[in-house]
Amino acid sequence: MIFLTALPLFWIMISASRGGHWGAWMPSSISAFEGTCVSIPCRFDFPDELRPAVVHGVWYFNSPYPKNYPPVVFKSRTQVVHESFQGRSRLLGDLGLRNCTLLLSNLSPELGGKYYFRGDLGGYNQYTFSEHSVLDIINTPSIVVPPEVVAGTEVEVSCMVPDNCPELHPELSWLGHEGLGEPAVLGRLREDEGTWVQVSLLHFVPTREANGHRLGCQASFPNTSLQFEGYASLDVKYPPVIVEVNSSVEAIEGSHVSLLCGADSNPPPLLTWMRDGTVLQEAVAESLSLELDEVTPDEDGVYACLAENAYGQDNRTVELSVMYAPWKPTVNGTVVAVEGDTVSILCSTQSKPDPIVTIFKEKQILATVIYESELQLELPAVTPEDDGEYWCVAENQYGQRATAFNLSVEFAPVILLESHCAAARDTVQCLCVVKANPEPTVAFELPSRNVTVNETEREFVYSERSGLLLTSILTLRGQAQAPPRVICTSRNLYGTKSLELPFQGAHRLMWAKIGPVGAVVAFAILIAIVCYITQTRRKKNVTESPSFSAGDNPQVLFSSDFRISGAPEKYESERRLGSERRLLGLRGEPPELDLSYSHSDLGKRPTKDSYTLTEELAEYAEIRVK
């Protein structure tokens, strides 16, 4: 474009080409609004040697050849034109001065097309120039927007309309430019081919909100009702902005999770879901959803949504918390300790949220922590009582898991006070109960006979272990009349312990010495004494109360021939077995055990402080009679 003050290049070319040959110069294209007019500038030339007296010319429409009978737009000789151009065309230029400028008025769409000029110098000196001008009848202004409009960068938008009608000149105004900027009218400009345009400029800095904004330009002609409007939508390029994303998400293990990310940008962004630098899903779209089926604790973490295009990028993060019940606790620490040592046991688990961790022993809480994944149990100076099974339990609102572990406390043997010897008929049995860890060896020593019997001699010793207790039984036959001294000795790698076993139940030994016959005689004497005392009291009562009648009370009966129905042998066997188990406290029947019910059963009865000798004798006699 060249401003009005510039020398028109078109006319310079015309002046430089005067003389010498046939030629014409006109704009290749020209435009005008419907209902207005247009002036098509035209210059032509011919050889100087022709020197015609009069120069004529003809304008044709859409064809340069007369033989095709094209519509005549203007003809200088006859003024006869095609009906479409009657009253609409006239010559503005002077043909004698080689100026063939044509004016067309009251333009309508059917007048749009190609226009050719033919020079007529008389006779055969006629020439149709191949150069022609294309007329475009328009109805809208032209809005020129830069090929790229970027948010934050100043742009210039122009409105251009043709101004080739000498009778009507357009005035321009902007529509919908509020908030963008103030327009500046540049004025009337001449184009390279000699045509004229009116230009108005609009400068502004677009924002992302201006994308898609409809901007308009209006061309109006004073003193007429002619108005023409044109519009253009702004295509503002801008970087992505993430406008939609999940906040932090909590999900229960095994459930379905959907993470959504949406971004606003022009052009549309490339959306990418990532975790720890790994691309999980991506697509060119305005929104992208990441679907996670049956989530596990391994999927717990931070997820990132990245949106990017050629103009920038944006990102957001989402924290996914997978809630789950505690894992089975693991126990790391000492499981075997020596009495007196300090024991440290660590119980750890994993859950979300953090669990309550508790360590139990025999339903007693030893230690607990709240909302922590580890629990340290400290046992200073452990004792044998600390030996046993422990449980570490972890729980939260989603479940509970537990792990059992054993603490083994090793210590020297301890012989318990319940260890003793007891006589049974013609047999002596010695019970030695030892508490120790690891399992000790047990030996029975008879000092008076210089004999030592250990647990390997199964004929005499029966042993059974339960937990930390080892119970050993020594059976000596034919020793009831004169039981020997017995010393129980137990040892393991932590020490040795010895105890002389006490002989329990001296009255039992007495009955063993008296024998069955003596027991029956003593029982009969006792019954006689009881009957005598009863008769004496009755006589005394009769003397003191004369009204008392002997018939008031039934006769006292006693029979020494008392029997129990059923099989006596079976009854005695069952009573003997029960007595043996009460004496020894064992789960099974020891070998080589042949005890008499009368002695063993008496051994488990209460002492004379709570059980009278008379009652004991009566029971003994009853058993013997059977």
Side-chain angles (χ1 to χ4, degrees):
M1 299 181 185
I2 306 174
F3 289 92
L4 291 174
T5 55
L7 183 63
L9 178 60
F10 174 76
W11 299 117
I12 293 176
M13 293 174 62
I14 294 297
S15 301
S17 61
R18 280 183 175 272
H21 60 275
W22 293 95
W25 293 265
M26 63 187 71
S28 59
S29 63
I30 192 169
S31 59
F33 284 104
E34 182 180 358
T36 63
C37 67
V38 64
S39 172
I40 302 176
C42 176
R43 301 284 292 178
F44 70 98
D45 199 5
F46 51 86
D48 292 338
E49 64 268 15
L50 296 181
R51 297 179 183 180
V54 179
V55 178
H56 291 280
V58 182
W59 280 94
Y60 293 112
F61 181 64
N62 277 341
S63 179
Y65 305 111
K67 63 182 180 179
N68 294 332
Y69 301 102
V72 176
V73 177
F74 173 82
K75 191 172 185 179
S76 61
R77 284 184 181 274
T78 62
Q79 302 295 320
V80 176
V81 297
H82 189 271
E83 60 182 354
S84 299
F85 295 96
Q86 288 181 0
R88 292 183 170 185
S89 61
R90 63 189 177 95
L91 194 66
L92 293 181
D94 186 349
L95 296 177
L97 297 177
R98 306 182 186 186
N99 187 335
C100 52
T101 300
L102 177 68
L103 176 65
L104 299 175
S105 303
N106 193 19
L107 297 175
S108 58
E110 66 271 14
L111 299 185
K114 298 178 181 179
Y115 288 82
Y116 294 89
F117 179 70
R118 179 180 176 82
D120 183 3
L121 304 184
Y124 292 103
N125 295 319
Q126 298 181 17
Y127 189 84
T128 300
F129 300 98
S130 60
E131 293 83 358
H132 61 277
S133 184
V134 178
L135 175 62
D136 184 20
I137 309 299
I138 64 173
N139 288 297
T140 58
S142 175
I143 298 178
V144 180
V145 180
E148 184 176 77
V149 178
V150 181
T153 303
E154 186 180 44
V155 296
E156 176 186 277
V157 179
S158 60
C159 177
M160 302 178 64
V161 297
D163 188 11
N164 294 305
C165 179
E167 300 171 357
L168 296 172
H169 296 285
E171 293 181 353
L172 301 180
S173 60
W174 288 93
L175 305 174
H177 70 286
E178 296 81 4
L180 296 179
E182 293 300 323
V185 178
L186 188 59
R188 189 167 185 258
L189 298 179
R190 187 169 186 177
E191 298 179 300
D192 293 341
E193 292 188 334
T195 56
W196 295 85
V197 293
Q198 281 278 4
V199 179
S200 179
L201 303 178
L202 184 64
H203 291 266
F204 61 95
V205 177
T207 62
R208 66 176 58 245
E209 292 76 17
N211 183 46
H213 183 78
R214 198 162 180 256
L215 186 63
C217 178
Q218 183 183 78
S220 59
F221 293 86
N223 303 320
T224 68
S225 60
L226 298 175
Q227 283 188 345
F228 302 92
E229 295 179 356
Y231 291 90
S233 293
L234 297 178
D235 184 19
V236 181
K237 309 296 184 183
Y238 54 91
V241 173
I242 295 179
V243 296
E244 182 181 13
V245 70
N246 300 79
S247 57
S248 296
V249 177
E250 287 188 0
I252 300 176
E253 181 180 10
S255 63
H256 176 83
V257 174
S258 179
L259 302 180
L260 179 64
C261 179
D264 174 39
S265 71
N266 188 28
L270 172 65
L271 292 178
T272 306
W273 275 107
M274 304 179 67
R275 180 173 180 239
D276 298 332
T278 301
V279 175
L280 304 177
Q281 189 175 351
E282 64 179 1
V284 177
E286 293 181 354
S287 64
L288 182 62
S289 178
L290 178 63
E291 304 295 334
L292 301 175
D293 294 323
E294 298 182 356
V295 293
T296 65
D298 292 337
E299 294 174 290
D300 186 285
V302 177
Y303 291 75
C305 175
L306 176 65
E308 58 183 337
N309 63 12
Y311 300 95
Q313 66 177 21
D314 191 17
N315 66 82
R316 291 288 186 277
T317 59
V318 178
E319 183 175 359
L320 173 61
S321 297
V322 178
M323 303 299 176
Y324 57 99
W327 291 359
K328 186 176 178 63
T330 58
V331 177
N332 297 320
T334 303
V335 293
V336 177
V338 179
E339 182 179 13
D341 288 350
T342 297
V343 173
S344 178
I345 298 174
L346 177 66
C347 175
S348 61
T349 184
Q350 182 175 330
S351 71
K352 198 164 190 177
D354 286 333
I356 299 174
V357 183
T358 306
I359 294 180
F360 296 88
K361 183 177 187 288
E362 298 177 352
K363 298 183 179 180
Q364 180 182 359
I365 297 177
L366 301 181
T368 186
V369 291
I370 298 176
Y371 305 138
E372 294 185 21
S373 59
E374 293 184 350
L375 174 58
Q376 188 89 20
L377 176 63
E378 296 286 344
L379 297 175
V382 292
T383 65
E385 285 69 27
D386 294 320
D387 189 285
E389 184 180 58
Y390 291 72
W391 283 90
C392 178
V393 180
E395 61 182 330
N396 62 13
Q397 60 265 45
Y398 299 104
Q400 181 188 83
R401 297 295 299 275
T403 296
F405 62 94
N406 288 299
L407 172 61
S408 178
V409 179
E410 297 185 343
F411 55 95
V414 177
I415 300 178
L416 303 186
L417 296 179
E418 59 193 79
S419 303
H420 66 278
C421 291
R425 195 177 280 183
D426 62 343
T427 301
V428 173
Q429 287 190 330
C430 295
L431 178 72
C432 185
V433 182
V434 181
K435 186 176 183 180
N437 190 24
E439 182 176 353
T441 60
V442 175
F444 294 93
E445 182 183 356
L446 284 68
S448 60
R449 303 180 184 182
N450 196 24
V451 174
T452 300
V453 181
N454 57 44
E455 57 188 339
T456 60
E457 300 181 65
R458 300 295 183 182
E459 181 181 359
F460 303 101
V461 179
Y462 169 78
S463 296
E464 181 179 280
R465 183 173 177 86
S466 176
L468 298 178
L469 295 180
L470 177 65
T471 302
S472 293
I473 301 173
L474 173 66
T475 302
L476 301 175
R477 297 186 179 278
Q479 303 295 325
Q481 300 299 325
R485 291 175 56 223
V486 178
I487 299 175
C488 177
T489 302
S490 178
R491 63 169 52 85
N492 64 10
L493 59 91
Y494 295 105
T496 301
K497 184 69 174 179
S498 296
L499 176 68
E500 182 174 346
L501 302 180
F503 192 90
Q504 291 187 353
H507 61 282
R508 297 174 192 157
L509 184 59
M510 178 188 70
W511 291 118
K513 292 180 178 180
I514 291 176
V517 176
V520 172
V521 173
F523 181 70
I525 295 171
L526 179 62
I527 293 300
I529 294 172
V530 172
C531 290
Y532 174 78
I533 293 173
T534 302
Q535 293 294 332
T536 303
R537 288 182 179 177
R538 184 177 298 170
K539 290 178 179 181
K540 182 178 180 181
N541 290 336
V542 170
T543 304
E544 293 176 355
S545 302
S547 60
F548 179 79
S549 176
D552 293 340
N553 290 318
Q555 183 179 0
V556 177
L557 299 178
F558 173 78
S559 175
S560 61
D561 193 19
F562 179 77
R563 293 289 185 272
I564 296 177
S565 61
E569 294 79 9
K570 179 179 180 182
Y571 177 77
E572 183 175 358
S573 175
E574 290 175 353
R575 290 292 300 272
R576 182 182 299 116
L577 179 60
S579 176
E580 292 166 358
R581 288 180 176 176
R582 286 194 302 270
L583 173 65
L584 302 175
L586 299 176
R587 296 181 180 176
E589 180 179 353
E592 301 298 335
L593 206 59
D594 183 16
L595 301 179
S596 170
Y597 172 80
S598 59
H599 294 80
S600 61
D601 188 66
L602 289 175
K604 298 301 288 186
R605 293 298 181 182
T607 62
K608 288 188 175 61
D609 295 337
S610 59
Y611 193 82
T612 65
L613 177 61
T614 302
E615 292 170 330
E616 187 171 294
L617 289 173
E619 181 182 14
Y620 182 83
E622 178 185 347
I623 295 171
R624 278 301 174 190
V625 168
K626 294 176 187 177

